[in-house]
Amino acid sequence: MVRDFLSLAGSSILHRKIRSWLTVIGVFIGITAVVALISVGLGLERTINDEVANVFGVDTFMLTARGVFGGRRANQGFSLYALDLEWLRAQEGVATAAAVRQRTAFVQGPPGPDGRANQGFLPVTGLSPELVTSFASFIGSLELEPGGRLFDADEILVAVLGRDVATRLGVGVGQDIVVAGDGDRPELTLAVVGILAASDAGSSRQGFTSGMAASGDTIYVPYDTMELLWGPADDVLITLVRTVPGRDVDEVAAQVEAALRARGSEVSAVTYSDISSAIGTVTTTVSAFLAGIAGISLLVGGVGVMNTMYTSVLERTREIGIMKAVGAKNRHILSIFLIESGLMGLVGGIVGTLLGLGISSVASAIIGRIFQVRVAVVASPALIVVTLLGAFALGAVAGLWPARRAAKLPVVDALRYE
Amino acid sequence: MPLLDLKGITKVYSLGKTSVHALRGLDLTVEKGEIVALMGPSGSGKSTLMHILGALDTPTEGVAMLDGQPLPRLSEDQLADLRGRKVGFVFQTFNLVPTLSAQRNVELPMIFLGVPKRKRAVRARELLAKVGLADRAHHKPNELSGGERQRVAIARALANDPEIILADEPTGNLDTEMGAAILDLLRRLSKEDGKTVVLVTHDPEAARIADRIVHIRDGRVLEETVHG
């Protein structure tokens, strides 16, 4: 009987082609918007996750001052913490680790032609050599000016300068700078082995330190040099830890974090899954918000269906009377009208889903071109099924009131209706 | 036992504060296979009577029995079921569903009784052939003449092989020739197939096919005349 009702509802929809299509358009605009937004959202989330996995590596975690990723101190920039890198490397499950220390130091350039040297307080960043050897994906491609190089693992009295610093100090590759550490430690003379190329729009912006080239006002020195200047690290900005292959990174991260806390260090271990879920929360929230706004147009579409069905009931009052006169029960009439409005919702859903997926793939391509990444196009089967069921339900719910009205029409009055 | 047995039927319509007595204690019996014409001026209550006879409406007071079943005690769904099985309606304005073909219109009563699709189609084509419209099965009502539409309506009325055909001014919208053909069809249904036909009309020409004419005025039976 459902098939017969489907066909009765279908004849009625086709009989009122223009109105039915207008109603369907009202539905599919909303569906298109929702599907496109959710789909782009899912695509971006996957793309970001892939990028993070690519750069971060699923076997790696990082140590930051507590709260950096927790949100509480997120607005205060990165905090620094104390760390014994050798102790960390000896921990069970840790394959290798690299850290970044940060200080501000009094720095002096070489004497100029007038015999006076440029000097000033400048940020000095200490980098473990492992950053380059083991965590190259974090560094991305650092572009140096011709003639320069990064420092090697066993070097100490060397520095790589940001472009701005080099200019300010009036120093070039092969010349020396003098850096003063703690008051009771000797200042060090460091040979400048490389100068970072000034970043331009065309340079590669991949990697964790994509901002490094841009921060041309920093002096980069080997990690061990920092110790000579300031002693044991109590100024670590970030530590990257790679786990032994086969070990569960979350487990090792938790152990290390607990051990560090036991030593009095307020440090948080952040793994790929932490970052991934943080990103997920953000993208889900944004998608849900946008989809919610798009949902308003769905609501409007639903009201459109209701209006059409209500008009249809009025228009077909006599027809309802006829059907009742020849034996239709109230529930038959209710079913026919519900199926009719549900069908309009469903057709709107199908058209909207196809259009939405189309728009999302175009949007992904555009976003990808703007940000120079490959944005994944996600056509989630769950999304499609839920959307289609939802569209049918939207139509049916919107048609419920008119359909009940139709079903309850007294047969004699309906037959008399002109 | 008469097919239709009405005793003391009263029907009151409430219109706001006033109430209208459409039927005032009417008695009527209709036997199986009879053709009965209900005649009377407008407002005499004959349409209301037909609604009650056809289980479309229930009386305010009185006993109405259709094939031994007391109508006022039935639920809305039971009434619908009864209409579907026992009663075939033919209306002055044909009342076909405009979106459906002639065949689908004839199938309609069978759909609500759950008759399987194939059986339905065969039956609908048989009935259309019976009323002389075998070649018009796939036409929509607006592609048919008035007489053809009324014949489709008669075919539809016969769909579930009902006991009784209730025809409300079936010739009212047709020219004389078409009207005569429809009346002939109704007469044959009674004489050849044994259907009971109740005809509401104020056309004496139409009443001529009746075995019995019941005159109604002011909600009561005024007189009955039996045709020879």
Side-chain angles (χ1 to χ4, degrees):
Chain A
M1 205 174 268
V2 172
R3 260 168 63 183
D4 295 314
F5 290 172
L6 258 174
S7 122
L8 285 175
S11 327
S12 165
I13 289 175
L14 292 177
H15 189 71
R16 297 161 180 82
K17 272 197 198 87
I18 294 177
R19 196 193 307 157
S20 302
W21 269 114
L22 289 175
T23 311
V24 165
I25 287 171
V27 175
F28 84 59
I29 288 174
I31 301 268
T32 302
V34 170
V35 168
L37 284 170
I38 291 180
S39 189
V40 167
L42 289 173
L44 283 180
E45 182 175 339
R46 183 178 295 178
T47 304
I48 296 170
N49 270 333
D50 289 352
E51 283 283 306
V52 171
N54 211 10
V55 170
F56 203 75
V58 290
D59 58 351
T60 303
F61 64 92
M62 62 183 181
L63 297 169
T64 63
R66 204 171 176 191
V68 168
F69 257 80
R72 275 183 297 123
R73 279 197 262 164
N75 292 333
Q76 297 169 16
F78 279 71
S79 308
L80 305 176
Y81 57 91
L83 180 80
D84 182 344
L85 197 54
E86 289 314 312
W87 171 89
L88 177 62
R89 285 183 178 134
Q91 292 305 298
E92 198 254 321
V94 173
T96 179
V100 176
R101 292 180 62 174
Q102 206 167 52
R103 283 277 181 170
T104 301
F106 182 74
V107 184
Q108 195 171 32
D114 58 352
R116 292 178 53 163
N118 290 329
Q119 58 193 33
F121 281 91
L122 294 167
V124 176
T125 297
L127 305 173
S128 296
E130 289 82 359
L131 275 175
V132 179
T133 54
S134 304
F135 299 95
S137 61
F138 283 79
I139 304 296
S141 56
L142 277 184
E143 285 180 34
L144 293 164
E145 290 193 345
R149 61 175 176 85
L150 292 173
F151 32 79
D152 291 330
D154 52 355
E155 287 181 301
I156 288 183
L157 297 178
V158 287
V160 172
L161 270 50
R163 179 64 259 173
D164 300 343
V165 180
T167 309
R168 199 164 147 198
L169 293 174
V171 64
V173 174
Q175 292 183 292
D176 292 341
I177 55 169
V178 178
V179 181
D182 269 351
D184 55 346
R185 287 168 192 274
E187 41 184 57
L188 294 180
T189 302
L190 306 178
V192 175
V193 296
I195 292 170
L196 294 175
S199 67
D200 58 68
S203 73
S204 168
R205 311 197 81 228
Q206 273 200 328
F208 177 74
T209 52
S210 58
M212 191 178 271
S215 72
D217 60 349
T218 300
I219 297 168
Y220 298 95
V221 302
Y223 192 81
D224 290 345
T225 310
M226 296 293 279
E227 186 144 345
L228 292 179
L229 288 164
W230 287 286
D234 59 354
D235 48 13
V236 173
L237 176 66
I238 191 163
T239 309
L240 299 170
V241 185
R242 176 150 306 140
T243 52
V244 171
R247 286 300 305 269
D248 179 51
V249 63
D250 288 297
E251 193 184 306
V252 176
Q255 281 170 8
V256 167
E257 186 184 79
L260 277 168
R261 290 211 181 149
R263 288 163 64 97
S265 195
E266 285 289 293
V267 165
S268 290
V270 178
T271 64
Y272 166 72
S273 54
D274 293 332
I275 296 181
S276 176
S277 69
I279 292 168
T281 311
V282 173
T283 49
T284 307
T285 310
V286 172
S287 305
F289 177 70
L290 291 176
I293 292 173
I296 293 171
S297 57
L298 262 187
L299 194 70
V300 175
V303 173
V305 173
M306 196 181 274
N307 185 26
T308 300
M309 291 310 296
Y310 185 63
T311 314
S312 185
V313 168
L314 275 183
E315 222 174 47
R316 289 154 70 194
T317 299
R318 203 182 172 93
E319 196 179 313
I320 294 162
I322 299 167
M323 289 199 277
K324 284 190 160 189
V326 302
K329 300 187 169 100
N330 287 359
R331 63 168 187 275
H332 295 150
I333 304 290
L334 186 76
S335 306
I336 292 170
F337 277 83
L338 279 186
I339 289 173
E340 187 172 326
S341 61
L343 267 183
M344 284 197 280
L346 185 64
V347 172
I350 292 171
V351 177
T353 304
L354 291 176
L355 265 178
L357 290 177
I359 287 176
S360 96
S361 60
V362 171
S364 298
I366 293 171
I367 293 171
R369 186 162 296 179
I370 292 172
F371 293 100
Q372 310 252 322
V373 283
R374 272 181 74 90
V375 178
V377 177
V378 179
S380 142
L383 173 66
I384 293 171
V385 169
V386 168
T387 306
L388 293 185
L389 287 179
F392 183 82
L394 173 84
V397 167
L400 191 62
W401 176 58
R404 277 173 60 90
R405 209 184 147 90
K408 292 196 162 169
L409 279 173
V411 55
V412 175
D413 296 346
L415 277 173
R416 278 208 200 104
Y417 190 84
E418 292 292 333
Chain B
M1 184 179 63
L3 183 64
L4 283 165
D5 193 359
L6 272 54
K7 281 202 175 66
I9 297 296
T10 300
K11 181 71 187 178
V12 183
Y13 291 108
S14 297
L15 301 167
K17 284 179 186 165
T18 60
S19 53
V20 176
H21 282 70
L23 297 173
R24 303 162 187 265
L26 180 142
D27 299 330
L28 178 71
T29 55
V30 178
E31 299 294 333
K32 251 182 192 142
E34 242 190 328
I35 303 183
V36 176
L38 303 176
M39 292 191 76
S42 298
S44 59
K46 57 188 193 304
S47 285
T48 303
L49 176 58
M50 195 181 103
H51 292 150
I52 289 171
L53 291 175
L56 290 173
D57 209 350
T58 48
T60 314
E61 269 175 55
V63 184
M65 309 273 275
L66 171 56
D67 206 17
Q69 292 204 65
L71 297 183
R73 297 218 196 111
L74 300 181
S75 70
E76 236 182 291
D77 275 1
Q78 285 171 319
L79 286 174
D81 199 58
L82 194 72
R83 287 195 294 269
R85 288 175 199 282
K86 304 265 182 188
V87 186
F89 289 97
V90 178
F91 300 95
Q92 178 176 0
T93 49
F94 324 127
N95 279 349
L96 299 176
V97 177
T99 54
L100 302 179
S101 68
Q103 182 176 325
R104 300 267 288 147
N105 262 290
V106 178
E107 285 182 32
L108 205 54
M110 296 186 266
I111 290 176
F112 298 121
L113 279 191
V115 179
K117 193 179 166 99
R118 192 160 301 170
K119 203 171 158 194
R120 229 160 56 199
V122 170
R123 170 93 178 137
R125 280 198 295 271
E126 266 174 27
L127 289 170
L128 284 172
K130 189 183 178 87
V131 299
L133 290 175
D135 55 338
R136 311 293 260 172
H138 299 296
H139 288 66
K140 295 255 172 81
N142 61 3
E143 297 160 344
L144 300 171
S145 72
E148 287 172 330
R149 287 184 211 182
Q150 197 57 301
R151 280 187 278 161
V152 174
I154 291 173
R156 183 181 65 189
L158 294 170
N160 288 329
D161 198 18
E163 302 273 346
I164 180 165
I165 307 269
L166 293 176
D168 189 359
E169 304 279 9
T171 58
N173 277 12
L174 301 175
D175 62 34
T176 319
E177 198 182 336
M178 293 262 195
I182 293 297
L183 289 172
D184 185 53
L185 187 56
L186 289 172
R187 194 186 57 77
R188 279 193 287 127
L189 287 176
S190 166
K191 300 308 159 207
E192 292 166 17
D193 301 341
K195 301 286 177 210
T196 306
V197 177
V198 175
L199 196 63
V200 171
T201 187
H202 49 240
D203 174 13
E205 207 49 43
R208 206 169 280 179
I209 66 161
D211 301 314
R212 187 151 59 99
I213 299 173
V214 178
H215 294 273
I216 295 172
R217 190 150 305 172
D218 300 330
R220 289 192 191 89
V221 174
L222 190 69
E223 63 165 335
E224 291 193 23
T225 46
V226 179
H227 273 206

